[in-house]
Each structure stands twice: as C-alpha cells, then as structure tokens.
Amino acid sequence: MADGKEDPAVFSSASLPSDPRLLATLTNAYLGTRVYRDILHVNGVYNGAAGDTHRADVPSPVNVRMTVPGADSLAETFTLNTRTGTFSHVLRSTDFTATHQIYAHHSLVHLMAFSISIRRSAHTAQPITVQLQTPFVPKSQDLDLNQGPDFQGAHYVYGKTLVPEVEGGPCPTVHMLWTPVPEALTLRGEEPERSWEFLTAVAESEEEAKRSYGEGLALIAAGSLHSSHAHAWAALWRGCCIDLDGPLPLRQALYGCLYYLLSALPPQGNPGFVFHGISPGGLSNGTQGECYWGHVFWDQDTWMFPNILLFYPEAARAILEYRIRTLEGALRNAQEQGYQGAKFPWESAATGREVCPEEIYGAQEIHITGDVLLAFEQYYCTTQDQKLFREDGGWKLVGAVAQYWCSRMVWSEEEQCYHIKGVMPPDEYHYRVDNSVYTNAVAQRSLNFAADVARDFLIPVPEEWVDCAKKVKVPFDAEKKYHPEYDGYSPGEPVKQADVVLLGFPLMHPMSSEVRRNDLEMYEPVTELDGPAMTWSMFAVGWLELKEAQRAQSQLNKCFSNITEPFKVWVENSDGSGAVNFLTGMGGFLQAVLFGYTGFRITKTSLRFDPVLPDDINKLKVNGVSYFGNKLKFTITKEEIRIKVTESPRDPPASPLEAVLEESGQRFPLREGRRVSFPTVAGWIQRSSPKAF
C-alpha cells in the first residue's frame, strides 16, 4: 500500500465522535440504524400525511452498550470494517478481551444481529462479567405497537403506522421479534472463551418475521450467522472495487463512500425484493425533522445511480422499478398542476405523490422529472434491457415524461422557440426563473431519448416530441461564450450548488472545450464554498475533461471538509449542518473518480474512456464495470490502460465486446479471461460484430 500497512477499508478509533449523528451506520436494503441509536427504520415504511410523512421510528433492540465496571486499565477500540459491514467495540485488559459486534445482515435483509464474546487470558481463572446497557422500550411515536406471544425464545411486537401518506392509503404493519437482552453476561471460571448471539427480525408480515428469525437461529446453531453476512459482503466487494495507488485519505474516502452506498443496495439474486429507493441520508436516518424525513430526491437518480449502474445493473434496475411503481402518483402530480403526462415529485416516499413540506420546491424544481429519465437512459444504453421498457412499465413512464415536458413548454413568438417558465433550477438560491439552462437541457434530453426508444421499438414518434426537443431554448451567451444559468442571470450572482456545470457532465450537452472552460471559470468563484457536498466533484469532472488534473484535484480536495472522523460519515454542508450520512455527496465523489479519472461516458453506442490521473496517483484499478452483461476490470496508469473481461455470462450470452482507440481506429477484441493493453489514450468499448475480426 502506498502509505504503509494501514488497511484503507477499516476505520478504528479509541473514542466515539461527540456528535452522535456522526456514528457509523449499519444498513441493508430493508433495515437501517446508527450504532447506539434507540430507533431503526424499515424500507418504505413511512408515517404521516403528505409533507409530514417521514420514516416510521421502530424501537431498536440492537441498541446495546457493553461495559466492564471495575476492570483495571481497559483499552477501548471502536472499529467499522467496511469489508465485512460490521461495527465492533473491543474492551481489552490484561485479563480478558470482550468484543461486541453489530451488523445488519446483508443477504438476510430482515435480520439485524449483535454478538458479545469474552476471551480470557491464559493466566486468569476468575469469572468475568460484562454489563449490557439496554435502554430499549417497545414503544414508538409512529406505530400502534401491540405485544404478541413469544416465539422460539423471542419477544414479539407488531403494529400499524398511525397516519397514511395519502387519504385512504395503506398504513403498513411492522412485525418485530427479538432475543431478550440480559443486564449482564458472565464467562465462568472454567471457560476460556464464550460467545452470545442476539437476533432482531423485522418484516411487514408475521410469517416473514418468524421465518427470518428461524433462519437466523439455524445459522447461529451452525455457527455461521456472522460468516454468512461477511460472505455476502465479500461477494459484493468482489463484484465492484475502486482502488488506487495514491494518498491514504483518498483511498479511505473511496472505501467509505462505497461502503455506505453499497449498504443501501437491494440484495443480489433476489429480484422479487420490493425496493423503495435511497434517500439522501439513507435508511439509518429520516425520522421526523431529520435528513429530509427519509424522502427520495434527484439525489438518488443523478448523484448515486450512475455509480450503482456501472457496478450493479440489477440494483440499478430496482431503483428504476421504484420510479415505475410510483408513476401513478407522478401522473396525479402533473394533473393537479394543470399539465399532462408525469411529473415526478421533488420529494417522494411510498406513493410518488409530492411530499415536500414546502410547496415551492414541488411546484418549481421540475428538473427532477428529467433527472429520473436520464437514469432510465443510462440504464438502457449500458444494458439494452428491453424487457424493463416493453413489459415492466418503462415505456409508459418514458412516454409520460415526454408528454409532461411538451405540456410544460410555451411557444415564444418573439424568440421563435419554446420556453419553460417559472422554475427553480438546481441552484435553489433562485426561483420563479424562466428557461433554467439545466432544466431545459434535461427536458430536451428526455424528449430525444423518448424518441430514440420509440424508434427502437418501431413505435411512431409523436411530431410534438421532435419539435419541442429541437426548438426548446437552451440559454447561451454567444458574446461571452458561456451558458447563463437562466434568462436574466448576471455574471457574478451567487450560486448555491452545481448547476450549469452539470451540462457538461452528466448531461453531455454539446459544447466546445472553450465553452466548457468558460462555464467552469464563470461559476466556480461564485458557488457557495460551504454548500452541498456533491458540488465540487462536478467541477473536478469538468477540469479532468479539459485535462487539467491538478485544478481538478484542488476541487475534489474541498470535499474532504465534508468527511467526518473516525467513520468517514459525510455531512451535507462543511459546517456540519444538513443531512448526515450524506450519500449524495458520496455519490458525487465516487463519480469524480469513476467518471472523472477514467473519463468514462455512457453514450448510445459505447462506453467511452479518456483517462487522466493527478500527479499523486500512479495507478487506478476499477474492477467490476458492467457493460452489456460483461464484467470488466480496468487498470490505468499514466502510460498504459489494461482491460480484462472477468465475466462473460453464457446464459443468456453476453454481447461480445471490443475496445477501439479514437485516434488510430485500432481495435482490440475483448474476450473472457484475456487481458489487452495499449497506451493511455482516448477510446471506447462497444459491442463487436462477428465481421470485426
């Protein structure tokens, strides 16, 4: 390792952060909590109507703290091991070692568990007792909890949420079983070592809760509860990894970001799992008044999704299925605002209806609808999964979004183009503006994609889609050669966060290098320095595109003020305010490496690459990139690119691929198990035809 022997994926400390919001989070796709927190949350279970809807607080039986009163010279260590998705607390004296491990089981997603282990030193024979502090009370402000009969030694409560999201809507029921926790555990004098395991099972049916609890008991009996969890995490890391030969803090940041984002993903090989999206603070956060109440924003589709897509298209599909399932709510949102088609809510929970507590965002920050469709486009271009679009509701959503954009545009006789009026751009310092350049460009992209899919499916393309896409205004100042943020924007006006710079990436809106540079230079000095954490990663991507690696690195380094110690939990704003465990910022940071250093760009026909590495990074390894069913490993240095197909499934067969170099046109067939290498230049990966070789 570049900085000695320290493992960049393991975060240890002798003390906990003073702010409990910054404790490590333990989540899987269904359950989430913060270490030593008295509540946990369940995927898709909200309480409260409309703007008051928030993640329902479920009392947490895993909130247990281990102490050994009276022990001499105790050494204490708290560790988050991102490789195994496990938090541990170790107390060590000359006589014994006591270890408390907590985890949300990655593959058995209805289970959370913890264990206490005591191991004595060889020279002692005294009983050793650890105290367990358990403030658990089976009550909730969001659930009407009732006590049921014990089951296989577990206590049992169940209850419905109190208030539905929409009038007449469902109130989900939560069922929870847990192993009772004693006040103390003792290692007897004759025992060298002993472990105790404690289970919590949560589900929306009694049958599922009992089945999961029984499955956990069987694994405990076999001695493999934690090892089965660690095995699932090992498989996850095998399928995706970003590592580099460079500074330790950067490597740690990458492992931290990947851990927290991977924690949120649906389990592999479980296509029936109903996923309810990813909120900015993840499943561990989102109680009333915290982390945007656990609502889903564009943060999921724009900031997190591209990373997930490149590594785990199956999980990316589950995110898109969430949007498809909430399409009816989006259709109602558009109708209520007087438009056609589907308008996705600025803040979404279980139904797709607008649940933003403040009306202005739901009414004006309409770029979210284009952001959702951009995720569908990226998925379509990297998977060609036509089933999602033809059979599973994707095409209906695509058409409804195109319809919405057409109905939202008005024709300007004066300018002879379409306008989109009265919006809030991504830069939320400005509102009720006309022709937000980002909003209009993403609308144009939505319409072009809808038309492309229609042609692929041999469906007639509505003339209106083509006309609106061609004639929508995308503001541009031909004299200063830059994109004004909206009609009437004056250079120098303060900007809250990344906005116009998103035209270059992820929108890839056509522009010259000169204009791209001007946009970056125009907006960099006026963008809020302490604003949302994802901003500077997009400036970094822009400078990397222009081959200014050191300038890019100075932007990316700003992100480190949002990363807290010791568990690498991100805060939304560098002053510590806003959401915590801010997955949005982590997603942006990962994109700066995954799409910035590599130059990856998803296009209609290829996955482009054009790497550039800063001075302090000698090698970048990206393992597990998914493209048309294949898994690829990229190893990039300043001199050479190596590509290897690590997996190429045969049932159904993955498309054969080739690498093409841009300048020379040279082609390299990519076959499973073989490695190709060539100088570090621009090129692309594409599907190869049999004629190619």
Side-chain angles (χ1 to χ4, degrees), residues 1 4 30-31 49 53 127 164 179 238 286 314 324 374 436 441 462 647:
M1 293 182 188
Y30 189 71
L31 298 172
T53 195
T179 314
R238 270 197 306 276
E314 185 185 321
I324 291 169
L374 181 59
S436 146
E647 286 176 42

Side-chain angles (χ1 to χ4, degrees), residues 164-183:
E165 183 180 316
V166 294
E167 198 173 336
C171 287
T173 302
V174 171
H175 297 260
M176 183 166 75
L177 295 157
W178 72 98
T179 314
V181 180
E183 290 182 0

Side-chain angles (χ1 to χ4, degrees), residues 82-96:
T82 68
R83 295 190 192 280
T84 62
T86 305
F87 184 87
S88 60
H89 173 210
V90 178
L91 293 170
R92 190 175 277 109
S93 79
T94 52
D95 295 336
F96 67 89

Side-chain angles (χ1 to χ4, degrees), residues 441-494:
V442 83
Q444 182 182 61
R445 179 128 189 179
S446 295
L447 289 163
N448 285 332
F449 173 57
D452 285 344
V453 177
R455 291 183 195 105
D456 285 354
F457 293 175
L458 305 179
I459 296 168
V461 180
E463 199 60 47
E464 189 184 26
W465 295 5
V466 178
D467 189 53
C468 287
K470 195 184 292 184
K471 296 176 183 171
V472 66
K473 180 179 183 179
V474 178
F476 180 68
D477 185 324
E479 190 182 315
K480 295 190 175 77
K481 293 188 178 175
Y482 90 107
H483 291 97
E485 190 186 291
Y486 52 84
D487 282 356
Y489 176 82
S490 301
E493 277 189 59

Side-chain angles (χ1 to χ4, degrees), residues 40 68 94 188 209 214 265 351 433 456 481-482 607:
L40 57 84
V68 184
T94 52
R188 296 194 300 269
L265 297 192
T351 67
V433 303
D456 285 354
K481 293 188 178 175
Y482 90 107
L607 176 65

